[in-house]
């Protein structure tokens, strides 16, 4: 139901972007506070579902669990908070039935795959996501 969720985000929060807001409003009224983090549920949901990046600590190491739910989208990009690292830029695009997933991170990190962390170096890491699983792009 990703496409339905995207439409709800567009209808419910999209107007805020159209009038130039840079954060989500506390309520659906621009006269209220515009800086409450808890009001940013679309950001949290899109990060986890659309970008597919669920960052966490696993045995004290920063990891990303990847689970992209693209719906009809052909690409997505965003920046995610990453414990002990600060941030990671995520982009992905479709190539047929495969998703090319790119992580740009300023420090070493790990991909959590099948419950095990796979170490990735600082810089750019590209992955190929398909029905066969996750593979690193050389």
């Amino acid at each position: 139901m990703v496409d339905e969720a995207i439409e709800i985000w567009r209808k419910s929060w999209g107007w805020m972007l159209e009038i130039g807001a840079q954060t989500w409003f506390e309520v659906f009224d621009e006269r209220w506070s515009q800086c409450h983090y808890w009001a940013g549920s679309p950001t949290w949901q899109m990060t986890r579902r659309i970008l597919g990046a669920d960052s966490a600590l696993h045995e004290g190491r920063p990891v990303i669990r990847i689970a992209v739910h693209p719906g009809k989208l052909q690409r997505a990009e965003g920046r995610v908070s990453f414990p002990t690292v600060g941030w990671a830029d995520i982009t992905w695009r479709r190539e047929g039935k495969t998703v090319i997933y790119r992580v740009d991170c300023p420090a070493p990190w790990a991909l959590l795959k099948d419950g095990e962390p796979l170490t990735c170096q600082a810089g750019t890491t590209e992955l190929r996501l398909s029905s066969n699983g996750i593979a690193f792009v050389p």
Side-chain angles (χ1 to χ4, degrees), residues 101-105 109 120-127 136-137:
Y101 198 87
R102 180 179 176 156
V103 178
D104 289 309
C105 190
W109 61 283
C120 299
Q121 299 303 315
T124 301
T125 302
E126 279 197 358
L127 306 162
F136 287 89
V137 176

Side-chain angles (χ1 to χ4, degrees), residues 14-76:
W15 66 271
M16 294 178 197
L17 300 176
E18 290 171 5
I19 65 168
Q22 295 182 13
T23 62
W24 303 123
F25 298 170
E26 181 176 352
V27 297
F28 296 106
D29 182 341
E30 62 186 275
R31 296 172 295 177
W32 283 65
S33 173
Q34 300 176 14
C35 63
H36 288 267
Y37 292 110
W38 58 264
S41 62
T43 302
W44 181 87
Q45 293 166 349
M46 285 186 253
T47 299
R48 300 308 185 278
R49 304 295 180 249
I50 305 300
L51 283 181
D54 186 7
S55 60
L57 288 174
H58 177 76
E59 298 175 358
R61 296 173 63 186
V63 298
I64 292 179
R65 289 182 212 102
I66 297 175
V68 177
H69 302 280
K72 294 178 184 174
L73 296 175
Q74 295 300 306
R75 61 180 178 78

Side-chain angles (χ1 to χ4, degrees), residues 1 10 29 41 47 55 73 82 85 89 92 106 112-113 117-118 123 125-126:
M1 298 182 59
R10 282 187 178 133
D29 182 341
S41 62
T47 299
S55 60
L73 296 175
F82 206 176
V85 172
D89 287 327
W92 63 257
L112 195 60
K113 182 179 177 189
L118 302 174
T125 302
E126 279 197 358

